[in-house]
Amino acid sequence: MTEPTEPSAPKDTGKGLTKGPDMGKGPGTPTGPASRDRVPPAAIRAIPVRHYGRWASAAVVLGLLAALLYAFAGAKINWGVVGDYLSDGTVVRGAWETLKLTVLAMVIGVVLGMLLAVMRLSKNPVLSAVAWGYIWFFRGTPVLVQLFLWFNLALVFTYLDLGPIYKDEMNDVITPFVAALLGLALNEAAYMAEISRAGIQSVDQGQTEAAHALGMSSAKTTRRIVLPQAMRVIIPPTGNEFINMLKTSSLAYAIGFNELFKASVDIGARNLASVEMLMVVTIWYLVLTTVFSIGQFYLERHFARGSDRELPPTPIQRIKAQLTSFRTPSKVGGTTV
C-alpha cells in the first residue's frame, strides 16, 4: 500500500524560488483549449436614472410663469409707452442719481462700519460702548425716519460753522442729496459694523496670537493678518447690502431727491401713465440689480480661491454643463456613457 504523495514544493536553487508545476494556477483557472475559446463579457451599459419628478415640477413652474406673463400681456398697460420712456433723458438721469447715491452711501457705510467693528471689539470700554450705542440707535429706527431727521437738521443747528474753513446756513448745506446720503450711509454703517465684526471673529484666534508672537502690533495684525482672511466672510453679505441699498435709495423720494423713482413718478403724474412708469422703474431696477449681482458673484469667487479646493462654476460653465447633459450616450472603451 503506497502512501499519498504530497504536492511538490518550490525548489530553492540559490537564485530564488523556482515555481512548481502547479504554481500560478488558481483553482478556477481554466486550462486547455476551452480557455482560448472563452467568450468575453458583454459591454456594460450605464443607464442614467430618470428624474420624472423634476420634469413634472419644471412643467408646473413654467405653466404658472406662462400664465403670469399672459395676464400682464393682456392687462390694460400701454407697453409702447413703457418702451418709449425706458431711454427717456429724465429717467436716465434719475437712474444715474440713484447709482451715484448708492455707491457713495456704500463707500461711507463700509469704511465707517469697519471702524465701528474695530471699536466694538476694542478692550477700551469707552470705544466699545460708543460703537454699541451707535449700532443700537441706527438699527433701531427706520431709514425713512432717519432721512427726515437729517433733512430737518436745521431745526437743531441753524448754522454749520467750521471756523475759517466753512460757514453757511444749515438749510443751504442739507440739500435733499446730502440728507439722503447721510441717512443711508449712517444707517448702512450700523449693519456693516455687525457684518465686519462677524467676519473678524471668524478668523482663528491663533492667527492673532502668532502675529503678536512675531512682534506685530495690534493695528498691524488687524490690517495685514485678520482683515484679509475675514474678507471671505464679509464680501457676500456686503454684496447683498449693496443691492439692498440700490433699492432702499428710492426712499429718498420722500425728501424730494430726484432719483429714479421720483423722476418716473413725476413723469407719470404729467402723462397720466402711472402704471406704465412703474413698469419702467421696475425694469431699470432689475437691470441694475442683475449687473451688480453678476459682479458680486465674481468678487466672491475671487476671494474664495484661498479656501475652496474647487471654485464654483461660472454661469457660462453651468449652462454648458446643462447642455452637455442632454447629449446622446456614446461608447467610450466599450462602455456606454
Side-chain angles (χ1 to χ4, degrees), residues 72-237:
F72 271 91
K76 296 180 180 179
I77 299 177
N78 191 344
W79 294 102
V81 174
V82 175
D84 292 339
Y85 279 95
L86 275 175
S87 58
D88 182 76
T90 303
V91 175
V92 173
R93 285 193 296 273
W96 166 248
E97 293 296 329
T98 293
L99 187 58
K100 180 173 67 175
L101 177 62
T102 301
V103 172
L104 291 177
M106 278 303 300
V107 170
I108 297 174
V110 168
V111 174
L112 184 56
M114 292 292 291
L115 179 61
L116 288 168
V118 175
M119 291 173 59
R120 179 82 184 274
L121 296 173
S122 174
K123 296 180 180 180
N124 189 323
V126 176
L127 295 179
S128 180
V130 169
W132 182 89
Y134 180 99
I135 296 170
W136 167 77
F137 176 79
F138 282 96
R139 287 204 310 170
T141 55
V143 182
L144 188 59
V145 174
Q146 296 174 29
L147 292 176
F148 276 105
L149 286 175
W150 286 107
F151 189 64
N152 294 282
L153 192 62
L155 299 176
V156 181
F157 302 101
T158 307
Y159 290 92
L160 177 62
D161 190 356
L162 301 179
I165 301 176
Y166 184 81
K167 183 178 181 180
D168 200 352
E169 293 185 359
M170 191 61 73
N171 280 328
D172 296 331
V173 175
I174 303 296
T175 61
F177 173 75
V178 174
L181 180 61
L182 289 174
L184 294 175
L186 297 181
N187 179 80
E188 183 61 33
Y191 289 92
M192 283 306 306
E194 293 297 280
I195 292 174
S196 302
R197 183 172 66 90
I200 293 173
Q201 290 180 331
S202 68
V203 180
D204 186 52
Q205 187 66 25
Q207 300 280 338
T208 303
E209 295 174 356
H212 289 167
L214 293 174
M216 299 178 66
S217 63
S218 297
K220 192 174 184 180
T221 300
T222 302
R223 187 177 70 255
R224 302 191 61 178
I225 304 297
V226 177
L227 288 182
Q229 298 182 69
M231 292 302 292
R232 182 178 58 86
V233 178
I234 295 174
I235 287 296

